Amino acid sequence: MSAPTPAKKELAAIKGTKDILPAEVGLWQKTEAEAKRLFELYGYRELRAPIIEATELFEKGTGESTDIVTKEMYTFTDKGGRSVTLRPEYTPSVARAIIEHRLDLQLEPLRFYYIGPMFRYDKPQKGRYRQFHQIDIEVFNEKDPAIDAEIIEMADTLLTTLDVSGTETLVNSVGCRACRPAYSKDLRAHAEKVRDALCDDCRRKIAANPLRIFDCKIETCREQAARFPKIGAYLCPECREHFDKVRAYLGLFGIRYRVEPDLVRGLDYYTKTTFEIVSGGLGAQNSLLGGGRYDDMMKDFGGPDICGIGFAMGMERLISVLRVKPDKRRFLYFAFMDDEGKSKALELARLFRRSGRECLLEFGLKNLKNQFGRANKLGAAWVCIVGEDEVRKGRYQLKDMAAGTQIEGTAEELLDIIRDIKT
Ligand code: HAM
């Protein structure tokens, strides 16, 4: 067979985006189903927000000094003259939805999850896409450090369930509005001293938000940042106590972690706890998930003064480290002889599908032999033969392809045999 002709360049998917083809989708569906099942066990419910939001939401939420807002957003003016943005992350959307629908006044716990695409115009590389998918969870109105530890435990459980190994959990505290100004002041003074050794972008960050220098990927800036003072020494008693308790609860869960004093995370909204789970198998983009507390976002949005915490896991990165295989599908292939057989097979397939069995009929094949050949190649678990004799007698042949055995029966009898076999 000749190699397929490559699609014309102008018809290819745009840079940094990719198709997830059926061969891979099984793994995505399995992962998504596992995540949803687990989150529901912890009392989370799905909240689906729009992909497109007012640009201002991310400027206010994600933060004006972040790389995301300054460089990476897919922002455009719509036909009504509004500036809109394809969401680069999910957290601000959830906060907006709570305020908009006054979910805080309802009885249900404010615990949400969502799985879907995000958009960031960054330089594509292994594990970094312009359209990527996140599994996101958010909790609101829980001040207690136990929730910080519980969501890390939930992430850890998800990874364990999916048999992901070789990860490391990093935690830190980035303080709050009471203790961070003193830290920022000292950081700014330190950065000012080494201004000439920093890139243009980091020089700009000295005035705007020196914390963001830690996000720079340039080696010389990283070397400088490694010598900067650490936030840990500046935490106020409340933030320190909170962090101590988070760590104690992580100990209670038996979660191994490392305190990473430089883990400030590239989003402006974090207060107190920040964390990441990194994986050695990922290469340079090693962060499998990241999250933290954001106690001021809701009130900064003009909503109720309730705190928030959450994390997001990168689906592409997660899938790339999975060793589990999607379940093999056990389906029934109908092989029919002539038009009468075709009509009968259509009827039978409808009956079998209604009781939950995957069935396949293909209409362009010449004869039973061709159909058998296809069923074999496709890996059908069974073939149901609907030949002339079978149609006349109302009794059909069912061949178990793995065992090589064949039995005869009415539609109902055959259905009884394969109905309860696990897919
Ligand atoms: P983030 O660290 O920007 O946090 O992203 C979370 C995860 O999304 C990363 O750890 C990574 O796995 C994945 N990710 C990010 N950018 C890309 C990309 N360009 N290509 C592929 N994967 C990517 C947030 O987004 C916060 N909203 C997390 C959060 C929720 N904090 C509190 N609640």
Side-chain angles (χ1 to χ4, degrees), residues 275-312:
F275 59 93
E276 274 187 19
I277 298 184
V278 296
S279 161
L282 282 174
Q285 299 302 313
N286 69 347
S287 164
L288 202 51
L289 75 91
R293 184 169 271 284
Y294 48 95
D295 290 349
D296 302 315
M297 188 190 287
M298 293 288 275
K299 72 168 178 281
D300 288 351
F301 279 180
D305 186 5
I306 59 175
C307 56
I309 183 167
F311 68 72

Side-chain angles (χ1 to χ4, degrees), residues 68 72 88-92 118-123 125 127-139 151 265-267 269-270 275-277 282 285-294 308-318:
I68 295 179
E72 298 169 4
E89 58 146 341
Y90 202 58
T91 313
M118 308 290 151
F119 305 84
R120 295 184 193 175
Y121 192 83
D122 201 353
K123 207 166 170 199
Q125 63 176 83
R128 188 157 76 200
Y129 303 96
R130 288 181 175 168
Q131 177 180 325
F132 60 98
H133 298 75
Q134 284 187 342
I135 300 181
D136 183 282
I137 71 102
E138 311 289 347
V139 183
I151 67 170
R265 308 235 330 110
L267 301 135
Y269 47 69
Y270 289 121
F275 59 93
E276 274 187 19
I277 298 184
L282 282 174
Q285 299 302 313
N286 69 347
S287 164
L288 202 51
L289 75 91
R293 184 169 271 284
Y294 48 95
I309 183 167
F311 68 72
M313 188 178 298
M315 276 290 278
E316 285 76 4
R317 294 185 193 175
L318 175 62

Side-chain angles (χ1 to χ4, degrees), residues 344-361:
K344 196 71 215 169
L346 282 167
E347 258 177 54
L348 291 172
R350 185 168 143 97
L351 179 74
F352 277 60
R353 286 177 182 137
R354 284 188 172 186
S355 51
R357 175 60 59 195
E358 179 179 335
C359 296
L360 184 66
L361 288 87

Side-chain angles (χ1 to χ4, degrees), residues 1 4 14 17 44 59 61 78-79 93 97 110 122 127 133 225-226 232 261 273 330 336 345 351 363 373 387:
M1 212 167 70
I14 62 172
T17 71
Y44 291 70
E59 289 170 347
D78 73 6
K79 290 196 167 70
S93 296
L110 297 171
D122 201 353
H133 298 75
T273 315
R330 288 171 64 77
F336 50 86
L351 179 74
F363 304 104

